[in-house]
Amino acid sequence: MIGPKRSSAWPAKPVAGSSGNPVSSVAKRNRRHHKTSTLGLAADEDQGACYEASRSPRRTEPSRQAHAGIACPDKAATSTDVGVSTDDQTPRKSKHAGQTGDGKRFAWMDSDDDDGAAESAESPESADAEEPPLPASVAEVRSFSEMVRMAPKLHSSAPSMTASELAAICMAAGRVKFYDAALLDTVVVQLRQRLAEGRAGSLHAEELVSVLASLAGLNAYNQDLFSTIAQVMATTGAAAALDGGQLKDLLASFKSVKHIGDTAFLESVAQLERQARYEAAKENILRDELERRWVR
């Protein structure tokens, strides 16, 4: 007779524990593991809450109350850690940059502001008083800044100036390398009028050469003025009173601006300059010969 079919896989025999009850032993082990895990998670949560509370002092009222009593594993949370005061647990006031605990600012933080306020409070009159005084006349100008400060007054006074004063403006501008088109144009026109009308006054040939050299150096060439000076010097024979260096400067001034015209005058000046060079070379030869004779 065939009976019911029996399974080939038989359940394993339970292993008896120390108590003899295998089910109770496994349950106890699971409970211990669960308790340990729960304690570890709680400790991690406490540490994270303390860290967040210390990094975020400004929290809402519910969060502040929730974290005020949290204790870290090795240190209880204090009012300083959570950003509240010990009395009413209100958020601490943030300090502005440069302030101490009692609300005072550092002195060095206010120094720049005070200096700026003092500078802005200075009046234009005090700023002008610090500048050095201007020269008594344009002939005494020796710096670019002096010429800049005097230019407006010179421009307005040019129509009433003499030929010598106008020439002094040209020479001062060339000396300090100052170029002002409006000023120089006015001065050149006024100087040419005085020379053409024979009102040169006490203007010497050396000053006329300096005027031409200054204008040529500033690239402020005016053909009418150059021609007028050439005619005045040719008429008066003033070029004959110039030395070799001045004659050379006179020729160089006309040549640098590529002046057209006044050929006869320039040829006479060139001849005078060659003669002056010859005389200078002859004197040098005679001086060298006398020195060799005395040495013997």
Side-chain angles (χ1 to χ4, degrees):
M1 181 176 179
I2 300 174
K5 189 175 181 181
R6 303 176 70 177
S7 174
S8 60
W10 295 93
K13 228 182 204 186
V15 179
S18 58
S19 61
N21 189 353
V23 178
S24 62
S25 176
V26 172
K28 288 180 180 180
R29 186 166 57 252
N30 290 340
R31 283 197 296 271
R32 285 197 303 270
H33 177 70
H34 178 69
K35 185 177 181 179
T36 305
S37 301
T38 303
L39 291 174
L41 291 175
D44 293 340
E45 291 176 359
D46 292 344
Q47 290 179 355
C50 293
Y51 177 75
E52 292 297 330
S54 63
R55 286 177 55 86
S56 305
R58 295 183 179 275
R59 310 180 71 89
T60 60
E61 187 64 25
S63 297
R64 212 162 36 241
Q65 294 176 359
H67 290 284
I70 294 176
C72 295
D74 56 349
K75 182 182 176 181
T78 63
S79 59
T80 305
D81 295 332
V82 297
V84 297
S85 62
T86 57
D87 297 334
D88 53 357
Q89 293 185 351
T90 56
R92 293 180 299 177
K93 294 182 179 179
S94 61
K95 299 176 184 178
H96 295 285
Q99 285 190 353
T100 59
D102 54 358
K104 296 180 180 179
R105 293 173 61 88
F106 293 122
W108 61 269
M109 294 294 291
D110 297 331
S111 59
D112 294 340
D113 298 337
D114 296 340
D115 294 343
E119 291 177 0
S120 61
E122 291 182 357
S123 60
E125 290 77 5
S126 61
D128 295 339
E130 295 178 357
E131 295 182 355
L134 290 174
S137 64
V138 69
E140 300 176 3
V141 170
R142 291 296 181 272
S143 66
F144 185 86
S145 61
E146 292 176 348
M147 195 65 187
V148 170
R149 293 165 57 195
M150 294 185 67
K153 183 178 180 181
L154 295 175
H155 184 268
S156 60
S157 304
S160 60
M161 289 182 177
T162 63
S164 297
E165 293 173 336
L166 295 170
I169 294 177
C170 296
M171 290 185 283
R175 184 166 53 250
V176 300
K177 305 301 180 184
F178 174 80
Y179 178 82
D180 186 339
L183 173 63
L184 292 178
D185 289 346
T186 302
V187 170
V188 165
V189 170
Q190 295 296 325
L191 179 59
R192 177 184 173 278
Q193 289 179 357
R194 294 191 184 29
L195 293 176
E197 295 171 0
R199 293 187 294 158
S202 60
L203 200 59
H204 301 289
E206 295 85 352
E207 294 175 304
L208 292 176
V209 174
S210 297
V211 168
L212 295 177
S214 299
L215 294 177
L218 293 173
N219 197 22
Y221 169 66
N222 183 281
Q223 184 177 6
D224 293 337
L225 178 63
F226 274 63
S227 295
T228 300
I229 291 178
Q231 293 171 9
V232 169
M233 296 184 71
T235 302
T236 59
L242 301 174
D243 59 22
Q246 293 168 342
L247 291 170
K248 185 177 180 180
D249 293 340
L250 180 60
L251 289 174
S253 299
F254 280 94
K255 184 178 180 180
S256 63
V257 298
K258 299 179 180 180
H259 179 74
I260 299 175
D262 303 299
T263 306
F265 168 73
L266 294 178
E267 284 292 337
S268 64
V269 173
Q271 185 176 358
L272 290 173
E273 194 270 334
R274 288 193 295 268
Q275 184 66 26
R277 283 192 287 112
Y278 171 77
E279 295 294 335
K282 185 172 66 172
E283 290 180 1
N284 292 334
I285 293 174
L286 292 176
R287 184 173 59 254
D288 294 340
E289 183 66 22
L290 291 175
E291 289 179 355
R292 284 196 296 269
R293 290 184 179 181
W294 281 108
V295 169
R296 292 177 184 177

